Amino acid sequence: MSALKPAELLHEGKAKKVFRTNCPGVVAVQYKDDATAFNAQKKAQLAGKGLLNWEISARLFEALEADGIASHYLGCLAPGWMAVKEVAIVPVEVVLRNRAAGSLCRQLPITPGTVLEPALLDLYYKDDELGDPLLTEARLKLLGLLTPQDRSELERLARAVNAALQKRLEVIDIELVDFKLEFGRSSGGELLLADEISPDTCRLWNTSSAEADGEERILDKDRFRKDLGGVVEAYGEVLKRVQGMGPAPRQYQ
Ligand code: UDP
């Protein structure tokens, strides 16, 4: 652990805990082994998941930073722990879809796997009790959640993340099917990418899988949602490939 010391728990989410630290403006995030799906109706403990998502997220935040996309990520503290800038999370989940899957195919008559070009971008209101409802233009306005400028900035950043991640993952034979992003506002008022980027929040398909169309190619939380087994092994495969992108994630100083 670096000189930064986690203090009291500020917030516990489904997959991470956030702690105050001895450094103002910096919080410590610990990744948990808890797995949840279907708005936490399905729950399990998956030994090792927290460590895998921690390192995958750290490496992807660093890759995005190198591609010019800033985030709340500052560096790692110890296995499973990272230091991030304290931000006020914007209660809007941004979902980008390069192919149709999951809720999109349950809600609309679209065949799973259909390529969506350009990527479909949807906003959802981040509220577990309400089941993260889809936001429309009018609902966004009604709730006063984002100014038009913030909304454009958020969508611009989300599309930039999509382009950068797609390019990075393609090289390691992973297709980015869809993903969810969260953003936070820093004390300086800047909108920053926040939360995590991991197989819990992205659909990732193995393009070097022998079974190109089957469930074997799934390297993400759909293995848990659909009871396919091998969840931690699939996340491990993602980490192994992401490790090939560059050096170990930096230590927070
Ligand atoms: N997602 C997420 N958190 C949520 C909802 C969705 O990380 O609360 C991710 C999910 O893993 C997938 C993408 O966002 O990569 C699109 O999810 P979808 O709307 O299809 O919902 P699902 O059917 O996966 O619950």
Side-chain angles (χ1 to χ4, degrees):
M1 192 73 74
S2 78
L4 193 81
K5 296 276 174 274
E8 83 262 26
L9 181 69
L10 291 173
H11 171 75
E12 178 160 4
K14 295 194 287 271
K16 298 179 292 302
K17 290 180 181 175
V18 182
F19 296 83
R20 193 188 302 285
T21 70
N22 52 334
C23 178
V26 178
V27 294
V29 175
Q30 184 186 27
Y31 284 67
K32 307 197 298 182
D33 284 343
D34 303 57
T36 62
F38 311 116
N39 204 17
Q41 287 171 46
K42 179 171 181 173
K43 290 185 194 170
Q45 281 280 310
L46 297 174
K49 181 184 80 89
L51 279 178
L52 292 164
N53 279 354
W54 157 70
E55 189 174 340
I56 293 167
S57 278
R59 287 174 176 272
L60 292 180
F61 280 134
E62 290 191 23
L64 288 174
E65 186 182 283
D67 292 339
I69 301 163
S71 75
H72 69 159
Y73 172 82
L74 293 169
C76 292
L77 296 170
W81 289 81
M82 60 173 68
V84 307
K85 281 187 196 165
E86 187 169 22
V87 293
I89 293 289
V90 176
V92 171
E93 298 188 347
V94 185
V95 172
L96 259 103
R97 302 172 192 272
N98 296 306
R99 278 188 194 265
S103 70
L104 185 71
C105 300
R106 291 195 299 273
Q107 294 167 0
L108 296 176
I110 296 182
T111 309
T114 303
V115 172
L116 306 169
E117 176 76 66
L120 182 72
L121 189 154
D122 281 322
L123 304 180
Y124 296 84
Y125 183 51
K126 181 176 158 64
D127 187 318
D128 286 339
E129 282 187 14
L130 297 175
D132 297 341
L134 182 69
L135 286 166
T136 61
E137 187 85 46
R139 288 179 182 196
L140 255 181
K141 210 167 157 192
L142 182 71
L143 296 179
L145 287 174
L146 291 169
T147 64
Q149 292 83 350
D150 282 348
R151 185 179 174 190
S152 309
E153 175 62 358
L154 203 137
E155 295 198 4
R156 186 192 67 78
L157 284 168
R159 289 198 184 273
V161 169
N162 189 35
L165 279 184
Q166 272 188 308
K167 211 164 148 199
R168 295 267 185 178
L169 294 173
E170 195 185 343
V171 178
I172 54 172
D173 293 331
I174 293 176
E175 182 180 340
L176 182 62
V177 173
D178 65 21
F179 60 97
K180 182 260 305 183
L181 298 178
E182 293 186 26
F183 292 85
R185 199 175 294 282
S186 69
S187 55
E190 190 189 7
L191 268 180
L192 283 177
L193 178 62
D195 194 45
E196 68 180 274
I197 303 176
S198 74
D200 269 6
T201 61
C202 303
R203 283 195 169 88
L204 304 169
W205 288 355
N206 184 0
T207 56
S208 59
S209 161
E211 196 200 330
D213 292 332
E215 289 172 335
E216 189 189 287
R217 69 184 167 180
I218 297 173
L219 296 176
D220 57 66
K221 197 157 92 172
D222 271 351
R223 300 206 73 83
F224 174 66
R225 292 188 188 97
K226 299 180 177 186
D227 291 320
L228 299 177
V231 184
V232 172
E233 291 76 6
Y235 285 36
E237 180 62 28
V238 173
L239 175 60
K240 198 174 86 187
R241 295 191 196 185
V242 169
Q243 282 172 336
M245 280 182 185
R250 64 177 177 253
Q251 194 70 14
Y252 177 75
Q253 302 293 346

